[in-house]
Amino acid sequence: MAVSFQQVMQKIQSITSTVKEDQEKLNIRRDHAFELWKKYANDNDILIRKVEQAKEIDQILRCALPADEPLDHFTQVPTPISPYTLIAADGSQVNPDRHAAILFSLVNIGLIAMKPGTGEASKIFTFTDIKLGNELYENPSLLSEDMVSLKRDLSERQKLLEVSNEFHGLQIALTDGPLEVWGLRQGFSDTYRQALETHLMVLNGMYDKGLVLAGVVDKPGANLVVRLLEIAKANKDELKNIKSFSPLRGVDDRWLFRTLPPGARSSIFGIQSSARNYYKGLYALYFFYLNTSMDDHPNIVRVEIPAWVATDQEKLDLLHASLIEQCRIMGFKPYPYILHRAHEVALVTYEDKVYVEQLLAHELRIAGMEIGEISSKQSAKDLPGRKRS
C-alpha cells in the first residue's frame, strides 16, 4: 500500500472540522458581493474611475471593466440568424521528454466546420507539427511545456483564419479557452513578443473577414467582476493597499452570475489586465457570462470576444444564439458541441505518442542515426504492474 490512507483521513478530518464555519463565512462574503453588485449596477463611470485609481497602485491589476450595460443586465437568448458557418479549433500537444529515448515535441490542431440548419456534413481539418533536433531549443534551453502551449495557442488561431478562407458569408470562429495567447503573466520575453505580434496580425485578418470570434471558458474560476466590486468598495486607505485588499475572498464570478436565466447572457465587460496595453482598439478584449443550462441548474461559462464583436449587436446576438444552440445538442452537459468535436479531432492519445516514437525510431535507424535510450527512471516506471503517474 503506497498511500497512507490513515494520514489522508487525519488530514480530511482536521479540515472538515472547520468546513461549516468556513462555509458560513463564505456565504456572508457572497451575500455582500451580491449587495455590492446591485448597489453599483448603474454606476459604471464611478467604477471606471476607481479602477483607474487602483491601477496607479497595482500595475498588473486584473479585473472587469464595465462597458455600456448595467452590471446586472442580462439578455435572453435571441432568435438564431441563418445561414452562417461555424468553425471551432482545439489543440493537443506532446512535450519534449528528456526521459524518453527520442526527444521531440508535437502539436496537433483539430478544426470542425459546419453550417447549422443546412443538413450539410461537417468538414474536418487536422494540422500536425512535429519538432526535432535544433527546433526543440529556444535561446538555448529545451522547449518548455509552457512554450509548447504558447505555440499551440497561436497555431489554433492561425488555422482558424486559414480554414475560414475556404468559406464565404457570415462565419463564427470559436476556440476553447481565453482569446489572449498565453504567456504575458510569465514575463514579456522576446518569444512572447513575437507570438503577440503574430497574434495581432491574425486578429487583424479575422477582423478584415468580419469573423465573429470568441473564446469559450468552461467552468471559469476567475473573479474578474468580483474583483471590480472589491475595488468599488475600497476607501482611500484601502485603495493604497489594493494588492492585499480582498474582503470578498473565495467568491468567484460563476457564483455571482448563477442568477442568469437559462440561455441568458450577462452584460458585456472589458478586461483590465497587463495585456490591455497590447490588445487595443478593435482588438481590445471583452467578455460576458452565459448560462448554457436549459433548467434551474445553472451552468455558467465565460465567453471572451474582441471589441469588433462586443460593439456589434448583430454579431453578439448571432454568437449568443449559436452557442446556446450548440450547447443544447449536448443535453444535460451543456458545452458547445462543435468545440467538443474539435477536441476529439485534436486529441493526441498515449497510443498516438507511442506510434510517433516508433515511426521516428524506424526512420532514424534507416538513416543510420543514433537513437537514445529511455532513462533508468522511466524504465523503472514502465516495468509490468507499474502505473504511470
Side-chain angles (χ1 to χ4, degrees):
M1 184 183 297
V3 176
S4 173
F5 291 104
Q6 180 180 359
Q7 294 176 18
V8 171
M9 181 55 68
Q10 289 172 348
K11 182 66 174 181
I12 291 173
Q13 290 173 341
S14 69
I15 293 173
T16 54
S17 64
T18 63
V19 163
K20 184 177 180 180
E21 180 182 352
D22 291 344
Q23 185 63 52
E24 289 173 351
K25 291 178 180 178
L26 177 59
N27 289 340
I28 292 172
R29 292 194 293 271
R30 284 174 168 175
D31 290 342
H32 189 34
F34 190 79
E35 291 169 0
L36 291 170
W37 188 39
K38 293 298 182 181
K39 177 181 177 180
Y40 291 101
N42 297 291
D43 292 335
N44 288 358
D45 291 341
I46 293 175
L47 292 172
I48 290 172
R49 285 198 297 270
K50 290 293 288 286
V51 171
E52 289 298 318
Q53 294 171 14
K55 279 170 55 182
E56 295 178 3
I57 307 300
D58 185 359
Q59 306 299 321
I60 58 173
L61 178 68
R62 187 172 178 83
C63 68
L65 274 175
D68 297 328
E69 299 166 326
L71 298 190
D72 59 355
H73 169 84
F74 66 86
T75 300
Q76 295 281 10
V77 59
T79 303
I81 302 172
S82 59
Y84 66 93
T85 302
L86 185 58
I87 309 171
D90 199 8
S92 185
Q93 68 192 59
V94 175
N95 303 308
D97 181 4
R98 62 187 179 86
H99 293 288
I102 304 174
L103 205 58
F104 73 97
S105 76
L106 185 143
V107 169
N108 194 51
I109 307 299
L111 294 98
I112 301 288
M114 62 174 60
K115 295 184 177 181
T118 66
E120 293 185 28
S122 301
K123 291 187 176 181
I124 299 174
F125 304 84
T126 305
F127 302 91
T128 308
D129 179 46
I130 186 169
K131 293 192 181 301
L132 303 161
N134 292 332
E135 296 177 313
L136 291 169
Y137 293 87
E138 189 85 33
N139 296 329
S141 303
L142 184 67
L143 282 176
S144 65
E145 180 178 348
D146 292 340
M147 192 57 64
V148 178
S149 296
L150 173 61
K151 294 179 182 295
R152 186 203 68 221
D153 283 352
L154 189 57
S155 183
E156 287 177 17
R157 289 142 180 81
Q158 290 172 313
K159 296 307 179 183
L160 266 177
L161 178 58
E162 183 179 322
V163 167
S164 74
N165 290 324
E166 299 194 17
F167 301 92
H168 302 284
L170 202 52
Q171 298 181 47
I172 300 175
L174 300 178
T175 63
D176 175 47
L179 284 187
E180 177 189 346
V181 289
W182 188 95
L184 186 59
R185 281 176 252 177
Q186 271 55 48
F188 200 74
S189 65
D190 289 340
T191 300
Y192 182 77
R193 185 187 304 277
Q194 294 169 7
L196 177 58
E197 291 173 354
T198 301
H199 187 214
L200 292 174
M201 286 192 292
V202 171
L203 290 178
N204 183 67
M206 291 178 167
Y207 168 71
D208 286 344
K209 283 188 61 66
L211 295 185
V212 182
L213 175 65
V216 180
V217 182
D218 190 35
K219 198 177 180 182
N223 66 338
L224 295 168
V225 178
V226 171
R227 187 58 174 155
L228 173 65
L229 298 176
E230 289 182 329
I231 293 169
K233 171 184 170 60
N235 59 36
K236 290 183 177 179
D237 290 335
E238 290 165 338
L239 271 176
K240 294 176 182 177
N241 298 296
I242 194 64
K243 292 182 180 181
S244 58
F245 182 68
S246 184
L248 303 178
R249 185 180 68 256
V251 184
D252 58 35
D253 291 355
R254 193 156 50 95
W255 179 87
L256 192 63
F257 286 96
R258 79 203 188 286
T259 55
L260 284 172
R265 73 156 175 87
S266 72
S267 56
I268 304 294
F269 296 91
I271 302 178
Q272 165 55 46
S273 74
S274 52
R276 191 175 176 81
N277 294 327
Y278 310 102
Y279 293 88
K280 299 178 181 179
L282 292 169
Y283 316 125
L285 302 179
Y286 289 79
F287 71 92
F288 60 85
Y289 285 100
L290 182 67
N291 183 3
T292 63
S293 176
M294 293 184 291
D295 53 31
D296 58 357
H297 295 87
N299 185 76
I300 307 300
V301 302
R302 187 173 78 248
V303 181
E304 295 195 3
I305 51 178
W308 79 77
V309 177
T311 56
D312 187 319
Q313 192 63 52
E314 183 177 338
K315 285 183 171 62
L316 266 178
D317 287 347
L318 174 62
L319 174 63
H320 182 176
S322 177
L323 286 173
I324 294 301
E325 185 176 69
Q326 286 290 306
C327 286
R328 286 176 178 167
I329 296 173
M330 296 293 287
F332 72 98
K333 284 292 186 181
Y335 180 74
Y337 169 74
I338 193 168
L339 279 173
H340 168 69
R341 290 286 290 113
H343 169 75
E344 289 182 329
V345 173
L347 182 64
V348 179
T349 66
Y350 176 74
E351 289 73 20
D352 293 333
K353 177 178 178 290
V354 170
Y355 186 57
V356 170
E357 289 174 336
Q358 291 172 346
L359 290 176
L360 281 170
H362 177 71
E363 294 300 319
L364 289 172
R365 288 192 184 98
I366 291 176
M369 298 181 67
E370 179 181 339
I371 298 176
E373 295 181 351
I374 297 174
S375 71
S376 299
K377 175 181 178 180
Q378 187 63 51
S379 180
K381 285 185 176 182
D382 290 343
L383 288 172
R386 297 281 182 127
K387 298 291 185 180
R388 290 179 177 84
S389 59

